[in-house]
Amino acid sequence: MASVVITAFALILSSFVMGLTGFGFAMAAISIMSLIAPLKNIIAFIFPYNVVMNVFLILRLHRHISLKRVYVQLLCFFPGAVIGSYFLINWPDDVLKMFVGITLILFCLVSSKRPLSSVASPRNVWAGLSGFAGGILGGALYMPGPPVIMYHAATQKDRFLFTVELQLFFLLGNVLLLIPYTGMDLFSLGGLKQNLFYLPCVCIGFISGLLVFKSVPNHLFGKITTLLIGALGVGIFLRAAVQG
């Protein structure tokens, strides 16, 4: 019973975060559900939810879609995802989680001291590096967001365009992740049945996040984004340190 409550809470909170900020679903869900389940099981469980929300947000903001903003990242994403998948298979969970936690904390500190407003040329180099790093984190822990978010936060000031660029990258990145993840036999019919059982929790959280998103001004949105990433980073790092 406790696992059902924790799972429901994790899905409501993480889907709310996704609706509000356009990212953070996997980070929030994994950081909470890691209390009750192995990492591989969590990834397989939340993967379908994440894809569906990616598609919904892209359709909602489809007028702003521009593949040229993410294609370099995607080209570099797949080789990183292959490397990350190797880590997922062979490295201990606590090591991977501590690495992600440190990454999120560093991002929060950098953002709070010096707002990310521009990236020096050549941008394609930075885009490629962020995509490759995102691939490693995506393959290893299904958290490709931090380096990708840092790049788009540095190059995109409009929060609507920021959201749709992230969703386009994450959706296509999920398609690429299907290749190594399927090879690892992560998905099953039983997992999809579980997805249907918890679907109302995701709908409640996601719709609530979308409603709040409309009323949050740009400057406050940026602060919420930074604080969210920092809080998740601290939580993941401390949990991994205790478990290790």
Side-chain angles (χ1 to χ4, degrees):
M1 183 63 183
S3 63
V4 173
V5 174
I6 292 174
T7 300
F9 171 75
L11 291 176
I12 292 174
L13 177 61
S14 57
S15 56
F16 174 83
V17 169
M18 182 71 163
L20 175 62
T21 66
F23 66 90
F25 176 77
M27 289 187 286
I30 290 175
S31 64
I32 298 173
M33 293 179 65
S34 60
L35 291 169
I36 58 172
L39 179 60
K40 291 181 181 179
N41 293 354
I42 299 171
I43 291 174
F45 177 65
I46 67 175
F47 191 93
Y49 292 134
N50 209 14
V51 171
V52 170
M53 284 187 284
N54 288 153
V55 172
F56 180 86
L57 288 173
I58 285 177
L59 292 176
R60 184 167 172 261
L61 300 170
H62 67 279
R63 296 177 182 176
H64 305 290
I65 290 178
S66 176
L67 187 59
K68 67 180 181 180
R69 287 277 300 172
V70 300
Y71 81 93
V72 173
Q73 288 178 308
L74 288 169
L75 288 175
C76 298
F77 178 86
F78 185 68
V82 173
I83 295 173
S85 299
Y86 172 83
F87 294 153
L88 177 60
I89 297 173
N90 295 285
W91 284 24
D93 280 7
D94 56 337
V95 174
L96 294 170
K97 291 175 184 176
M98 288 181 71
F99 177 72
V100 172
I102 292 171
T103 302
L104 298 180
I105 294 169
L106 288 175
F107 169 77
C108 181
L109 292 175
V110 171
S111 299
S112 62
K113 288 186 176 181
R114 183 180 179 182
L116 297 174
S117 58
S118 63
V119 167
S121 297
R123 286 195 176 187
N124 282 347
V125 173
W126 293 107
L129 288 174
S130 67
F132 182 73
I136 293 177
L137 292 178
L141 205 57
Y142 196 43
M143 292 185 184
V148 177
I149 293 167
M150 280 192 271
Y151 174 78
H152 286 281
T155 60
Q156 182 57 263
K157 296 181 180 180
D158 187 291
R159 62 174 172 149
F160 292 96
L161 297 180
F162 172 82
T163 299
V164 75
E165 287 171 5
L166 287 182
Q167 296 318 306
L168 181 60
F169 174 85
F170 290 149
L171 177 61
L172 297 178
N174 277 323
V175 173
L176 294 176
L177 282 173
L178 269 176
I179 300 173
Y181 281 176
T182 301
M184 295 166 59
D185 294 324
L186 289 185
F187 306 107
S188 66
L189 182 60
L192 293 177
K193 290 180 179 179
Q194 275 192 316
N195 288 137
L196 293 175
F197 177 78
Y198 287 102
L199 183 59
C201 298
V202 175
C203 292
I204 292 171
F206 188 58
I207 293 172
S208 300
L210 290 175
L211 293 174
V212 175
F213 173 79
K214 294 180 180 180
S215 61
V216 177
N218 281 325
H219 70 281
L220 184 57
F221 176 80
K223 292 180 180 179
I224 291 175
T225 299
T226 301
L227 290 174
L228 169 65
I229 292 176
L232 290 173
V234 171
I236 293 170
F237 177 81
L238 291 178
R239 185 171 298 121
V242 171
Q243 291 176 346

